[in-house]
Amino acid sequence: MCIFCKIINQEIPSYKIYEDEYTYAFLDISPLSQGHTLVVPKKHSEHVLEADSATITHCFNTIKKITHHYDNVLRSSGYNIISNVHPSSGQTVFHTHFHIVPRFTKNESLFDSLKEHSSEENIKMTFETIKIA
Ligand code: AMP
Ligand code: ZN
């Protein structure tokens, strides 16, 4: 059984923030900011692109509840909501999860380190290669 399934089943301890029929939310043990939280569906899938739509909807309902609550108790002013897919993205736990990273006053993108492809030339070349219609 995977580590997040074990957390959901209370076989491994966690700082549980919220639980309902479909989802479980707990604090990340290596937080990127105060209140960094993981929302996971109880139904196992490897990553968000393999999860069914209903499962994703349940997760987002929970994300909305939690961020609304954090607006009040943490006074956070924004959130990065991230789901890593495959090891090349940094995924290390292969049970679908959404990171909620509360943000405060810095106005700084978490994606700054990925910006080497941001030239106009690169954008045009990529567009010609990947457009669908
Ligand atoms: P990812 O890199 O998207 O797969 O994220 C996995 C996250 O799970 C990381 O941010 C870890 O810090 C976190 N994590 C791993 N094990 C635990 C655990 N036992 N309790 C809480 N968070 C965990
Ligand atoms: Zn699992």
Side-chain angles (χ1 to χ4, degrees):
M1 194 188 287
C2 93
I3 183 173
F4 285 178
C5 282
K6 285 183 183 160
I7 286 176
I8 293 162
N9 289 336
Q10 321 279 336
E11 287 168 36
I12 291 178
S14 69
Y15 292 98
K16 180 169 92 176
I17 297 291
Y18 175 83
E19 180 175 12
D20 63 23
E21 192 181 347
Y22 304 106
T23 65
Y24 190 99
F26 54 103
L27 293 182
D28 195 299
I29 34 158
S30 260
L32 292 173
S33 73
Q34 187 188 22
H36 181 171
T37 300
L38 300 174
V39 173
V40 305
K42 289 187 173 175
K43 185 176 170 185
H44 180 94
S45 50
E46 287 228 333
H47 56 68
V48 62
L49 299 182
E50 285 195 342
D52 58 65
S53 308
T55 296
I56 294 168
T57 299
H58 295 313
C59 288
F60 269 86
N61 287 337
T62 296
I63 289 168
K64 284 185 188 175
K65 274 183 196 145
I66 290 174
T67 52
H68 184 67
H69 177 60
Y70 288 176
D71 286 348
N72 296 317
V73 296
L74 280 179
R75 297 271 157 218
S76 27
S77 52
Y79 302 93
N80 295 102
I81 296 163
I82 299 167
S83 199
N84 296 324
V85 175
H86 292 153
S88 58
S89 75
Q91 186 179 7
T92 57
V93 177
F94 299 95
H95 179 126
T96 298
H97 56 280
F98 294 91
H99 295 258
I100 299 175
V101 184
R103 301 299 296 274
F104 297 88
T105 49
K106 263 197 177 157
N107 295 336
E108 186 179 77
S109 172
L110 279 184
F111 296 121
D112 275 346
S113 63
L114 297 172
K115 281 198 177 142
E116 71 244 33
H117 300 295
S118 64
S119 75
E120 178 75 23
E121 188 61 16
N122 258 319
I123 293 170
K124 277 187 191 147
M125 263 171 48
T126 306
F127 176 68
E128 292 304 327
T129 313
I130 69 176
K131 65 185 176 186
I132 290 173

